[in-house]
Amino acid sequence: MFIDIHNHLIYGVDDGPKTFATTQKMLSAACKDKVEQIISTPHITPGIREFPMKTYREHLKQAQEWCEENELPIVLHSGAEILYTDSTTRMLNDGRVPTLCDTPYVLVEFLPTDSYHRLTHAADELCGAGYQPIFAHVERYECLKHADQIRELRERYRVQIQVNAGTMLEKMGFFRKRRLMKLFREDLVDYLSTDSHNLNTRKTCMRACRKAMLERFDREQLKRLMHDNALEIIEY
């Protein structure tokens, strides 16, 4: 069984599903994929674009009730994927941006072209304010070309690292694949999550990812990446 800390399944709030019917289908697909808990993480851009918090809370509750009524064995939690801006920490402090499961954990993303200095500045600021940053889909950032940078983010700046499960199923060049595999070999990744947005191009794929990675990594490491570490957030 898996826990997914990065998923855009709540409809009508970002570039995920547009209708509740699609949310229902995504929940059913996640259930078939053996996902037992999901932290819902709609995109939020603090200070740039107003987030429909009331709508999000209502649609999340609707999805939670649907799971209960249909005896779907999935527990849904609140959260957000926050694009780091100069307003992020202030709006977190004001309670205008949700953390993961109402804990100090925050899932943060950056523009693909942001500099390494911007990432370390964000980590410094968020940790200084009492948050535990998790950097989303680090494989996308142009500034993170070396495992030593990920190691520094983790050890010096206390950042946790998330990689998309779907990335591990993509065809990729030799050097990109080697860089990614090095992160896992050196235990520099904390979470494998779906970043699911829909039922086709960005669907849930935890079982397929685990199956593919079992060729190189042991079961206990994958259990930590796809369940145990996420459970620590939920049970914080």
Side-chain angles (χ1 to χ4, degrees):
M1 303 299 285
F2 306 109
I3 299 176
D4 187 3
I5 72 161
H6 187 174
N7 196 308
H8 299 264
L9 59 83
I10 299 303
Y11 75 101
V13 292
D14 66 355
D15 58 344
K18 302 304 179 187
T19 67
F20 185 43
T22 305
T23 291
Q24 293 171 340
K25 291 176 182 177
M26 290 178 69
L27 284 165
S28 296
C31 185
K32 291 178 181 177
D33 202 30
K34 302 299 182 183
V35 177
E36 62 180 4
Q37 299 196 61
I38 297 173
I39 303 179
S40 163
T41 53
H43 291 290
I44 295 182
T45 310
I48 306 297
R49 185 182 302 113
E50 188 67 26
F51 179 69
M53 182 69 77
K54 182 179 178 182
T55 299
Y56 169 62
R57 296 292 188 189
E58 290 173 350
H59 290 186
L60 175 62
K61 183 179 179 182
Q62 185 182 14
Q64 290 168 328
E65 291 175 347
W66 184 82
C67 288
E68 293 174 4
E69 291 167 1
N70 290 274
E71 299 183 346
L72 205 69
I74 291 182
V75 179
L76 296 177
H77 306 276
S78 64
E81 180 184 15
I82 307 163
L83 179 66
Y84 181 76
T85 71
D86 293 339
S87 300
T88 293
T89 302
R90 174 176 56 82
M91 293 183 71
L92 280 166
N93 290 340
D94 292 343
R96 297 167 62 189
V97 175
T99 62
L100 301 184
C101 302
D102 298 316
T103 72
Y105 289 86
V106 289
L107 183 68
V108 186
E109 70 169 334
F110 300 87
L111 298 176
T113 55
D114 276 346
S115 68
Y116 185 64
H117 173 74
R118 183 161 178 80
L119 271 63
T120 59
H121 171 76
D124 257 346
E125 185 178 83
L126 290 164
C127 288
Y131 299 102
Q132 171 55 66
I134 301 170
F135 283 4
H137 41 58
V138 297
E139 67 272 22
R140 293 185 183 178
Y141 307 133
E142 295 177 7
C143 67
L144 296 180
K145 296 295 186 184
H146 305 288
D148 287 345
Q149 294 170 307
I150 302 291
R151 187 177 294 104
E152 183 178 46
L153 284 172
R154 286 168 53 86
E155 296 177 358
R156 179 177 177 183
Y157 296 98
R158 292 179 38 220
V159 171
Q160 293 187 335
I161 302 297
Q162 183 255 316
V163 169
N164 284 358
T167 299
M168 308 313 298
L169 299 173
E170 295 174 0
K171 293 182 178 179
M172 61 183 81
F174 172 80
F175 292 106
R176 182 172 185 243
K177 184 173 183 178
R178 186 171 70 176
R179 286 197 300 268
L180 267 176
M181 290 303 174
K182 184 174 183 179
L183 297 184
F184 289 100
R185 284 198 309 272
E186 298 188 12
D187 205 20
L188 296 176
V189 179
D190 299 282
Y191 309 95
L192 272 166
S193 309
T194 68
D195 192 10
S196 177
H197 282 63
N198 54 50
L199 294 159
N200 300 304
T201 57
R202 300 180 70 176
K203 59 186 178 181
T204 184
C205 57
M206 295 290 265
R207 283 200 298 173
C209 175
R210 180 181 182 274
K211 181 179 180 181
M213 294 191 70
L214 272 174
E215 298 176 3
R216 294 173 177 262
F217 303 98
D218 65 66
R219 295 173 184 271
E220 283 304 311
Q221 181 181 7
L222 294 176
K223 184 171 179 286
R224 291 193 301 273
L225 291 169
M226 306 178 89
H227 183 276
D228 294 356
N229 293 345
L231 190 61
E232 292 182 7
I233 300 173
I234 293 167
E235 294 184 344
Y236 181 87

